[in-house]
Amino acid sequence: MNTQPTLAKEGGSTGTPGQTPSDGLKAGLKNRHLSMIAIGGVIGAGLFVGSGSGIAAAGPAILLSYALVGAMVVFVMRMLGEMAAARPTSGSFSSYADQALGRWAGFTIGWLYWFFWVVVLAVEATAGAKILEGWIPAVPQWGWALIVMVVLTATNLGSVASYGEFEFWFAGIKVVAIGAFVVIGMLAVFGVLPGSDNPGAGFAHLTDTGGFFPMGAGAVLTGVLMVVFSFMGSEIVTLAAGESEDPQKAVTKATNSVIWRIGVFYLGSIFVVLTLLPWNDASIVEKGSYVAALDSIGIPHAGQIMNVIVLTAVLSCLNSGLYTASRMAFSLGQRGDAPKAFAKVNQRGVPVAAILGSVVFGFVAVFFNYKWPDTVFAFLLNSSGAVALFVWLVICVTQLRMRGIILRESPEKLIVRMWLFPYLTWATIAMIVGVLGYMVYDGGSNRDQVVLSLLVAALVLAIAVVRERLGKNAPRV
């Protein structure tokens, strides 16, 4: 008797160009939307505002931290791309976990991922509001947070094409900004930038202040903990693919390009910072790494320029966060793991209830951030902090099972393959478990994030198990 799980026929795009997804969603995302979502998905606000702390903690060795996390993300995206190209769906890895591991797995990781993004909504809305209040103080910070949330909610309620268009321009600004930064910075490093007033720029900065490992080799792991969460969002393109014109092509292209995207945007830009300034330059932490680097070569108004770019990154993250949370809620609703209303779409193919349900929790989280930032909101933040790593871990374990299922049921759809399967998959699992273990060993807020996230995950898992035993899971369609 064959006990292997089989692919459920959950609603989702069939992957044929020009078709409308069978789950009621509209194929409103164009190829240019998907391309920019894929490129911009790896550029979070954390890259702009958090890289300075990582540099201060590890020195030039932070490049190895970014390289290690980047490799991990590349491997995870390759695994996810393999599954998404074979079966594009709005539920992405949650749906695949449901099919390969069991209903409990899809339910648990789906709701954890939704929880992660609705908390991110509050974080990003507050960050954007602080920047806007600095420009127009007449409007209070809470007012700006409300305005930003309302505008982007309206955008997502309009149509998936509206989300795609907004994200195309938001991501485009981020991509152009990082690309320009790398080009201008490298010209300054090689001494060919007209008007540059940074004679000290050069590759010597990688070793001239305490060597490449000024804080010791162990600082590389500390750096990993500080940069790992800035990579979250790479997987969004696989959720969006289900509403695109050609899901398989979009997923394949995004998966194949993830290496150069991480190489240019993360390693390239941090390399520029480290070659323009000594790693221990106080301005890197005080002003932020990118502002400090631009100031060092005489770029006027660098601070305001970066504020505009950071605001764009924040709005992009908010826009994608709302989209992602709503589509995960929609998929959960389809599978009977969330209220049925979440699985309904209007005439434009928009899951209105799923969007509003997600944004309501986001508004509540924003309120908690203003009312009880150090208690209630701190708990929400910490209890969702390690979810990114849980998601990547589930993707790896799911792919181990899903490869055999796809080969048995539809081998012609295995157009993207994980390299060195299953050895590299197991190696990636070991890397992720190692990061989680080091977070616990490191103590402080890192340990809190793992422990509280595990507690929340255990609670959601318990609910999933109880539901299954009570027979309340909706039948597969």
Short mmCIF file of all heavy atoms in Angstrom, two decimals, residues 131-178:
data_model
loop_
_atom_site.label_atom_id
_atom_site.label_comp_id
_atom_site.label_asym_id
_atom_site.label_seq_id
_atom_site.Cartn_x
_atom_site.Cartn_y
_atom_site.Cartn_z
N ILE A 131 9.50 59.11 9.35
CA ILE A 131 10.14 59.88 8.29
C ILE A 131 9.22 61.00 7.82
O ILE A 131 9.64 62.16 7.67
CB ILE A 131 10.52 58.96 7.12
CG1 ILE A 131 11.58 57.93 7.55
CG2 ILE A 131 11.04 59.78 5.93
CD1 ILE A 131 11.90 56.90 6.50
N LEU A 132 7.96 60.67 7.57
CA LEU A 132 7.01 61.67 7.07
C LEU A 132 6.75 62.77 8.08
O LEU A 132 6.61 63.95 7.71
CB LEU A 132 5.69 60.97 6.69
CG LEU A 132 5.77 60.07 5.45
CD1 LEU A 132 4.55 59.17 5.36
CD2 LEU A 132 5.91 60.92 4.19
N GLU A 133 6.71 62.42 9.38
CA GLU A 133 6.51 63.43 10.41
C GLU A 133 7.69 64.40 10.44
O GLU A 133 7.52 65.60 10.70
CB GLU A 133 6.34 62.78 11.77
CG GLU A 133 5.99 63.77 12.88
CD GLU A 133 6.00 63.14 14.26
OE1 GLU A 133 6.78 62.19 14.46
OE2 GLU A 133 5.27 63.61 15.13
N GLY A 134 8.90 63.87 10.15
CA GLY A 134 10.07 64.74 10.10
C GLY A 134 9.98 65.77 8.99
O GLY A 134 10.51 66.88 9.11
N TRP A 135 9.31 65.41 7.90
CA TRP A 135 9.15 66.33 6.78
C TRP A 135 7.97 67.28 7.00
O TRP A 135 8.05 68.47 6.68
CB TRP A 135 8.92 65.55 5.48
CG TRP A 135 10.12 64.74 5.04
CD1 TRP A 135 11.41 64.89 5.47
CD2 TRP A 135 10.13 63.66 4.11
NE1 TRP A 135 12.23 63.97 4.85
CE2 TRP A 135 11.47 63.20 4.01
CE3 TRP A 135 9.15 63.03 3.34
CZ2 TRP A 135 11.84 62.15 3.17
CZ3 TRP A 135 9.52 61.98 2.52
CH2 TRP A 135 10.85 61.55 2.43
N ILE A 136 6.86 66.73 7.50
CA ILE A 136 5.65 67.54 7.71
C ILE A 136 5.18 67.30 9.14
O ILE A 136 4.28 66.49 9.40
CB ILE A 136 4.54 67.16 6.70
CG1 ILE A 136 5.08 67.20 5.27
CG2 ILE A 136 3.35 68.10 6.85
CD1 ILE A 136 4.07 66.77 4.22
N PRO A 137 5.76 68.01 10.12
CA PRO A 137 5.43 67.78 11.54
C PRO A 137 4.01 68.18 11.92
O PRO A 137 3.56 67.84 13.02
CB PRO A 137 6.47 68.63 12.28
CG PRO A 137 6.93 69.64 11.29
CD PRO A 137 6.84 68.99 9.94
N ALA A 138 3.33 68.91 11.05
CA ALA A 138 1.96 69.33 11.37
C ALA A 138 1.03 68.12 11.52
O ALA A 138 0.03 68.19 12.24
CB ALA A 138 1.43 70.26 10.28
N VAL A 139 1.36 67.04 10.83
CA VAL A 139 0.57 65.81 10.96
C VAL A 139 1.27 64.90 11.96
O VAL A 139 2.45 64.60 11.80
CB VAL A 139 0.45 65.09 9.60
CG1 VAL A 139 -0.34 63.79 9.76
CG2 VAL A 139 -0.20 65.99 8.56
N PRO A 140 0.58 64.47 13.03
CA PRO A 140 1.23 63.62 14.04
C PRO A 140 1.64 62.27 13.46
O PRO A 140 1.11 61.83 12.44
CB PRO A 140 0.16 63.47 15.12
CG PRO A 140 -1.14 63.70 14.41
CD PRO A 140 -0.84 64.72 13.35
N GLN A 141 2.54 61.61 14.16
CA GLN A 141 3.07 60.34 13.67
C GLN A 141 1.96 59.31 13.47
O GLN A 141 1.94 58.60 12.46
CB GLN A 141 4.12 59.81 14.65
CG GLN A 141 4.92 58.65 14.10
CD GLN A 141 5.96 58.17 15.10
OE1 GLN A 141 5.94 57.02 15.53
NE2 GLN A 141 6.86 59.06 15.50
N TRP A 142 1.02 59.23 14.43
CA TRP A 142 -0.06 58.25 14.29
C TRP A 142 -0.92 58.56 13.07
O TRP A 142 -1.46 57.66 12.42
CB TRP A 142 -0.92 58.18 15.55
CG TRP A 142 -1.70 59.44 15.84
CD1 TRP A 142 -1.34 60.47 16.64
CD2 TRP A 142 -2.99 59.79 15.29
NE1 TRP A 142 -2.31 61.46 16.64
CE2 TRP A 142 -3.33 61.05 15.82
CE3 TRP A 142 -3.88 59.15 14.42
CZ2 TRP A 142 -4.53 61.70 15.49
CZ3 TRP A 142 -5.07 59.79 14.10
CH2 TRP A 142 -5.38 61.05 14.64
N GLY A 143 -1.04 59.86 12.75
CA GLY A 143 -1.82 60.27 11.58
C GLY A 143 -1.17 59.79 10.29
O GLY A 143 -1.85 59.31 9.38
N TRP A 144 0.17 59.92 10.22
CA TRP A 144 0.88 59.45 9.03
C TRP A 144 0.78 57.93 8.90
O TRP A 144 0.62 57.40 7.80
CB TRP A 144 2.35 59.87 9.08
CG TRP A 144 2.59 61.29 8.66
CD1 TRP A 144 3.14 62.29 9.40
CD2 TRP A 144 2.28 61.85 7.38
NE1 TRP A 144 3.19 63.46 8.67
CE2 TRP A 144 2.68 63.21 7.42
CE3 TRP A 144 1.71 61.35 6.20
CZ2 TRP A 144 2.53 64.07 6.34
CZ3 TRP A 144 1.55 62.20 5.11
CH2 TRP A 144 1.96 63.55 5.19
N ALA A 145 0.88 57.22 10.03
CA ALA A 145 0.76 55.76 9.99
C ALA A 145 -0.61 55.35 9.46
O ALA A 145 -0.73 54.43 8.64
CB ALA A 145 0.99 55.18 11.38
N LEU A 146 -1.64 56.07 9.91
CA LEU A 146 -3.00 55.79 9.46
C LEU A 146 -3.15 56.07 7.97
O LEU A 146 -3.71 55.25 7.22
CB LEU A 146 -4.00 56.65 10.25
CG LEU A 146 -5.48 56.48 9.92
CD1 LEU A 146 -5.93 55.06 10.26
CD2 LEU A 146 -6.32 57.51 10.66
N ILE A 147 -2.61 57.21 7.51
CA ILE A 147 -2.71 57.58 6.10
C ILE A 147 -2.03 56.54 5.22
O ILE A 147 -2.58 56.09 4.20
CB ILE A 147 -2.08 58.97 5.87
CG1 ILE A 147 -2.94 60.06 6.52
CG2 ILE A 147 -1.92 59.26 4.37
CD1 ILE A 147 -2.29 61.43 6.56
N VAL A 148 -0.82 56.15 5.61
CA VAL A 148 -0.07 55.17 4.81
C VAL A 148 -0.81 53.84 4.73
O VAL A 148 -0.93 53.24 3.66
CB VAL A 148 1.33 54.97 5.44
CG1 VAL A 148 2.00 53.73 4.86
CG2 VAL A 148 2.20 56.19 5.20
N MET A 149 -1.33 53.38 5.85
CA MET A 149 -2.05 52.10 5.87
C MET A 149 -3.32 52.17 5.02
O MET A 149 -3.63 51.24 4.27
CB MET A 149 -2.40 51.71 7.30
CG MET A 149 -1.22 51.31 8.16
SD MET A 149 -0.69 49.61 7.91
CE MET A 149 -1.88 48.74 8.91
N VAL A 150 -4.06 53.28 5.12
CA VAL A 150 -5.30 53.42 4.36
C VAL A 150 -5.03 53.45 2.86
O VAL A 150 -5.71 52.78 2.07
CB VAL A 150 -6.06 54.69 4.80
CG1 VAL A 150 -7.19 54.99 3.82
CG2 VAL A 150 -6.62 54.51 6.20
N VAL A 151 -4.02 54.22 2.46
CA VAL A 151 -3.70 54.34 1.02
C VAL A 151 -3.31 52.99 0.43
O VAL A 151 -3.79 52.59 -0.64
CB VAL A 151 -2.57 55.37 0.80
CG1 VAL A 151 -2.05 55.29 -0.63
CG2 VAL A 151 -3.07 56.77 1.10
N LEU A 152 -2.43 52.26 1.11
CA LEU A 152 -1.98 50.99 0.58
C LEU A 152 -3.06 49.90 0.67
O LEU A 152 -3.10 49.00 -0.16
CB LEU A 152 -0.69 50.54 1.27
CG LEU A 152 0.51 51.43 0.95
CD1 LEU A 152 1.77 50.94 1.66
CD2 LEU A 152 0.77 51.47 -0.56
N THR A 153 -3.94 50.02 1.66
CA THR A 153 -5.08 49.10 1.71
C THR A 153 -5.99 49.34 0.51
O THR A 153 -6.43 48.38 -0.15
CB THR A 153 -5.89 49.31 3.01
OG1 THR A 153 -5.05 49.05 4.14
CG2 THR A 153 -7.09 48.36 3.05
N ALA A 154 -6.25 50.60 0.20
CA ALA A 154 -7.07 50.94 -0.96
C ALA A 154 -6.43 50.43 -2.25
O ALA A 154 -7.13 49.93 -3.15
CB ALA A 154 -7.27 52.45 -1.04
N THR A 155 -5.12 50.53 -2.33
CA THR A 155 -4.40 50.03 -3.51
C THR A 155 -4.62 48.53 -3.69
O THR A 155 -4.91 48.05 -4.78
CB THR A 155 -2.89 50.30 -3.38
OG1 THR A 155 -2.68 51.71 -3.28
CG2 THR A 155 -2.14 49.77 -4.57
N ASN A 156 -4.47 47.79 -2.60
CA ASN A 156 -4.64 46.34 -2.68
C ASN A 156 -6.08 45.94 -2.94
O ASN A 156 -6.35 44.90 -3.55
CB ASN A 156 -4.13 45.68 -1.41
CG ASN A 156 -2.62 45.45 -1.41
OD1 ASN A 156 -2.14 44.38 -1.76
ND2 ASN A 156 -1.87 46.47 -1.04
N LEU A 157 -7.03 46.75 -2.45
CA LEU A 157 -8.44 46.45 -2.67
C LEU A 157 -8.85 46.73 -4.12
O LEU A 157 -9.84 46.18 -4.60
CB LEU A 157 -9.32 47.28 -1.73
CG LEU A 157 -9.35 46.84 -0.26
CD1 LEU A 157 -10.11 47.86 0.58
CD2 LEU A 157 -9.99 45.46 -0.13
N GLY A 158 -8.10 47.59 -4.80
CA GLY A 158 -8.44 47.94 -6.17
C GLY A 158 -8.36 46.74 -7.10
O GLY A 158 -9.34 46.31 -7.71
N SER A 159 -7.19 46.19 -7.23
CA SER A 159 -6.96 45.01 -8.06
C SER A 159 -5.53 44.54 -7.84
O SER A 159 -4.70 45.30 -7.32
CB SER A 159 -7.18 45.31 -9.54
OG SER A 159 -6.17 46.19 -10.03
N VAL A 160 -5.25 43.31 -8.24
CA VAL A 160 -3.88 42.83 -8.10
C VAL A 160 -2.95 43.61 -9.02
O VAL A 160 -1.76 43.79 -8.73
CB VAL A 160 -3.80 41.31 -8.40
CG1 VAL A 160 -4.06 41.02 -9.88
CG2 VAL A 160 -2.44 40.76 -7.99
N ALA A 161 -3.50 44.13 -10.12
CA ALA A 161 -2.69 44.95 -11.02
C ALA A 161 -2.25 46.25 -10.34
O ALA A 161 -1.14 46.75 -10.57
CB ALA A 161 -3.47 45.26 -12.30
N SER A 162 -3.13 46.80 -9.46
CA SER A 162 -2.77 48.01 -8.73
C SER A 162 -1.60 47.73 -7.79
O SER A 162 -0.65 48.51 -7.70
CB SER A 162 -3.97 48.51 -7.92
OG SER A 162 -5.04 48.84 -8.75
N TYR A 163 -1.68 46.60 -7.09
CA TYR A 163 -0.56 46.21 -6.23
C TYR A 163 0.71 46.06 -7.06
O TYR A 163 1.77 46.57 -6.69
CB TYR A 163 -0.85 44.89 -5.53
CG TYR A 163 0.41 44.15 -5.12
CD1 TYR A 163 1.19 44.62 -4.06
CD2 TYR A 163 0.84 43.03 -5.81
CE1 TYR A 163 2.36 43.97 -3.70
CE2 TYR A 163 2.01 42.38 -5.46
CZ TYR A 163 2.77 42.85 -4.40
OH TYR A 163 3.94 42.22 -4.07
N GLY A 164 0.59 45.37 -8.20
CA GLY A 164 1.76 45.15 -9.04
C GLY A 164 2.37 46.43 -9.55
O GLY A 164 3.59 46.57 -9.61
N GLU A 165 1.50 47.39 -9.93
CA GLU A 165 2.01 48.66 -10.46
C GLU A 165 2.72 49.47 -9.38
O GLU A 165 3.80 50.03 -9.62
CB GLU A 165 0.86 49.47 -11.06
CG GLU A 165 1.30 50.54 -12.05
CD GLU A 165 2.00 49.98 -13.28
OE1 GLU A 165 1.66 48.87 -13.72
OE2 GLU A 165 2.91 50.67 -13.79
N PHE A 166 2.11 49.55 -8.20
CA PHE A 166 2.76 50.26 -7.10
C PHE A 166 4.09 49.62 -6.76
O PHE A 166 5.10 50.29 -6.58
CB PHE A 166 1.85 50.27 -5.87
CG PHE A 166 0.96 51.48 -5.78
CD1 PHE A 166 -0.11 51.65 -6.65
CD2 PHE A 166 1.19 52.47 -4.83
CE1 PHE A 166 -0.93 52.77 -6.57
CE2 PHE A 166 0.39 53.58 -4.74
CZ PHE A 166 -0.67 53.74 -5.61
N GLU A 167 4.09 48.28 -6.68
CA GLU A 167 5.32 47.59 -6.30
C GLU A 167 6.38 47.71 -7.40
O GLU A 167 7.58 47.75 -7.10
CB GLU A 167 5.02 46.12 -6.01
CG GLU A 167 6.17 45.36 -5.36
CD GLU A 167 6.64 46.03 -4.07
OE1 GLU A 167 5.83 46.73 -3.41
OE2 GLU A 167 7.81 45.85 -3.71
N PHE A 168 5.94 47.79 -8.64
CA PHE A 168 6.89 47.96 -9.75
C PHE A 168 7.70 49.24 -9.57
O PHE A 168 8.92 49.26 -9.71
CB PHE A 168 6.12 48.00 -11.08
CG PHE A 168 6.99 48.27 -12.27
CD1 PHE A 168 7.72 47.25 -12.87
CD2 PHE A 168 7.09 49.55 -12.80
CE1 PHE A 168 8.53 47.50 -13.98
CE2 PHE A 168 7.89 49.81 -13.90
CZ PHE A 168 8.62 48.78 -14.49
N TRP A 169 7.00 50.32 -9.21
CA TRP A 169 7.69 51.61 -9.05
C TRP A 169 8.45 51.69 -7.74
O TRP A 169 9.57 52.22 -7.67
CB TRP A 169 6.69 52.76 -9.18
CG TRP A 169 6.18 52.87 -10.58
CD1 TRP A 169 4.95 52.52 -11.05
CD2 TRP A 169 6.91 53.34 -11.71
NE1 TRP A 169 4.85 52.73 -12.39
CE2 TRP A 169 6.04 53.25 -12.84
CE3 TRP A 169 8.19 53.83 -11.90
CZ2 TRP A 169 6.43 53.62 -14.11
CZ3 TRP A 169 8.59 54.21 -13.19
CH2 TRP A 169 7.72 54.10 -14.27
N PHE A 170 7.86 51.17 -6.66
CA PHE A 170 8.58 51.16 -5.38
C PHE A 170 9.88 50.36 -5.51
O PHE A 170 10.95 50.81 -5.13
CB PHE A 170 7.72 50.51 -4.28
CG PHE A 170 6.59 51.38 -3.79
CD1 PHE A 170 5.45 50.81 -3.24
CD2 PHE A 170 6.68 52.76 -3.86
CE1 PHE A 170 4.41 51.60 -2.77
CE2 PHE A 170 5.64 53.56 -3.39
CZ PHE A 170 4.51 52.99 -2.85
N ALA A 171 9.76 49.14 -6.04
CA ALA A 171 10.94 48.29 -6.20
C ALA A 171 11.92 48.91 -7.19
O ALA A 171 13.14 48.81 -7.02
CB ALA A 171 10.53 46.89 -6.65
N GLY A 172 11.38 49.55 -8.23
CA GLY A 172 12.25 50.18 -9.23
C GLY A 172 13.13 51.25 -8.63
O GLY A 172 14.33 51.35 -8.96
N ILE A 173 12.56 52.05 -7.73
CA ILE A 173 13.35 53.10 -7.08
C ILE A 173 14.45 52.48 -6.23
O ILE A 173 15.60 52.94 -6.23
CB ILE A 173 12.43 54.00 -6.22
CG1 ILE A 173 11.50 54.81 -7.12
CG2 ILE A 173 13.26 54.93 -5.32
CD1 ILE A 173 10.43 55.59 -6.38
N LYS A 174 14.13 51.40 -5.49
CA LYS A 174 15.13 50.74 -4.67
C LYS A 174 16.26 50.18 -5.53
O LYS A 174 17.45 50.32 -5.20
CB LYS A 174 14.51 49.60 -3.86
CG LYS A 174 13.54 50.03 -2.78
CD LYS A 174 13.15 48.86 -1.90
CE LYS A 174 12.33 47.83 -2.62
NZ LYS A 174 11.87 46.75 -1.73
N VAL A 175 15.89 49.54 -6.62
CA VAL A 175 16.88 48.91 -7.50
C VAL A 175 17.80 49.96 -8.11
O VAL A 175 19.03 49.81 -8.14
CB VAL A 175 16.18 48.08 -8.60
CG1 VAL A 175 17.18 47.65 -9.66
CG2 VAL A 175 15.50 46.87 -7.99
N VAL A 176 17.20 51.03 -8.61
CA VAL A 176 18.00 52.11 -9.22
C VAL A 176 18.92 52.74 -8.18
O VAL A 176 20.10 53.01 -8.45
CB VAL A 176 17.09 53.18 -9.85
CG1 VAL A 176 17.89 54.41 -10.25
CG2 VAL A 176 16.36 52.60 -11.07
N ALA A 177 18.39 52.94 -6.97
CA ALA A 177 19.19 53.57 -5.91
C ALA A 177 20.40 52.71 -5.53
O ALA A 177 21.53 53.21 -5.44
CB ALA A 177 18.32 53.82 -4.68
N ILE A 178 20.16 51.41 -5.32
CA ILE A 178 21.27 50.52 -4.96
C ILE A 178 22.25 50.40 -6.10
O ILE A 178 23.48 50.43 -5.91
CB ILE A 178 20.74 49.13 -4.57
CG1 ILE A 178 20.00 49.20 -3.23
CG2 ILE A 178 21.88 48.13 -4.45
CD1 ILE A 178 20.90 49.41 -2.04
#
